[in-house]
Amino acid sequence: MATITSLVDTTTTTNQGKPGDTVQINGTGLSATTRVNFGSAAVTPASVTTTLVTFVVPSTAPCSGQVSVSVTSSAGATSNALPFFVIATPTTTGLSVTCVPAATGGAVTLFGTNFLSGTQVGVGGVGNVTVAPTLPSQVSFTAPADLTQVATVATHPVTITTGGGTSASGTTLIDYYLAPAITSVLPTSGTAGDDIVVDGTGFVGVDTVTFTDSAAATATAVFTPVSGTQLVATVPAGLATGAGTITVHTCGGNSNAQAFTIT
């Protein structure tokens, strides 16, 4: 009579897997096997030898949970049963941040379900990050930098791969931002309340315009976005007169410090 000693999913190398995976049944006296009993489903073996039977986990497998696996011979004899665990496909629901600097990447927490057997998080075409989740609903990772990015903002899908497969692409997205750059300010000097035209590149999602005075003190300016290459900032009060600078900040980081004189 056939005896099963172990079940090995060839994808996960454990007794856990998902529909479509090939599973090896190891044991003795298996040569007469004609049917694999996967729970209540009867599965035709893919290959049969005396010590090894292989089969594909059927699409009718439950979404998750334990299933008993045994084999039945041409004579109708059924072996002992061993447990196989169907791993649920992961899903993603959101991120702790919506964007990171393209030059450096950044710390991100991914939220979703069925993460515990996760092996890697994928960030679009930027790259994959190895992970080992400790919670079923979230995992933290460092999004890799994208030093080849050309567009000011590039959007990438974030996915997670587990023993249950890879989550759907496009459900959760993250934006990569290039740092802004200032090319000119007009006029090049001014006093509190004056409006200054700032030209440059990467002025998308600007969140802060900062003036620094001659004493290295800083003040945040009220500003009005005009386009991706221009904004108008109002010189803030309370700054010391003399040579200073203006910087622009987005999710991509700080711009260069452009010279500006407080009068």
Side-chain angles (χ1 to χ4, degrees):
M1 183 175 175
T3 301
I4 298 176
T5 56
S6 68
L7 303 174
V8 179
D9 184 296
T10 58
T11 299
T12 65
T13 68
T14 68
N15 66 337
Q16 303 177 31
K18 64 185 184 302
D21 284 1
T22 296
V23 177
Q24 297 176 341
I25 301 175
N26 300 297
T28 58
L30 302 176
S31 59
T33 297
T34 57
R35 185 178 78 224
V36 174
N37 306 301
F38 190 85
S40 61
V43 181
T44 301
S47 65
V48 175
T49 70
T50 300
T51 58
L52 177 67
V53 171
T54 64
F55 73 97
V56 175
V57 178
S59 59
T60 55
C63 294
S64 63
Q66 180 177 318
V67 176
S68 292
V69 177
S70 62
V71 297
T72 298
S73 71
S74 55
T78 299
S79 71
N80 62 307
L82 290 181
F84 183 85
F85 297 89
V86 180
I87 305 173
T89 302
T91 62
T92 62
T93 57
L95 301 166
S96 59
V97 297
T98 59
C99 58
V100 293
T104 61
V108 181
T109 299
L110 175 65
F111 301 101
T113 62
N114 305 316
F115 284 4
L116 276 179
S117 63
T119 57
Q120 68 177 25
V121 169
V123 183
V126 182
N128 298 321
V129 180
T130 300
V131 295
T134 58
L135 295 172
S137 59
Q138 68 183 69
V139 62
S140 295
F141 67 98
T142 300
D146 185 1
L147 301 181
T148 64
Q149 182 169 318
V150 175
T152 299
V153 181
T155 302
H156 299 280
V158 179
T159 59
I160 184 169
T161 298
T162 72
T166 300
S167 62
S169 178
T171 301
T172 301
L173 304 171
I174 191 167
D175 291 330
Y176 273 58
Y177 276 67
L178 294 181
I182 299 175
T183 55
S184 67
V185 296
L186 287 175
T188 58
S189 63
T191 190
D194 288 351
D195 286 339
I196 308 300
V197 177
V198 182
D199 289 304
T201 59
F203 291 178
V204 176
V206 175
D207 51 31
T208 311
V209 176
T210 302
F211 283 72
T212 301
D213 66 16
S214 57
T218 61
T220 300
V222 174
F223 67 94
T224 302
V226 176
S227 68
T229 59
Q230 188 178 83
L231 58 83
V232 176
T234 302
V235 180
L239 293 173
T241 59
T245 60
I246 299 176
T247 57
V248 173
H249 183 272
T250 71
C251 192
N254 279 315
S255 70
N256 55 302
Q258 185 73 15
F260 183 81
T261 301
I262 306 295
T263 58

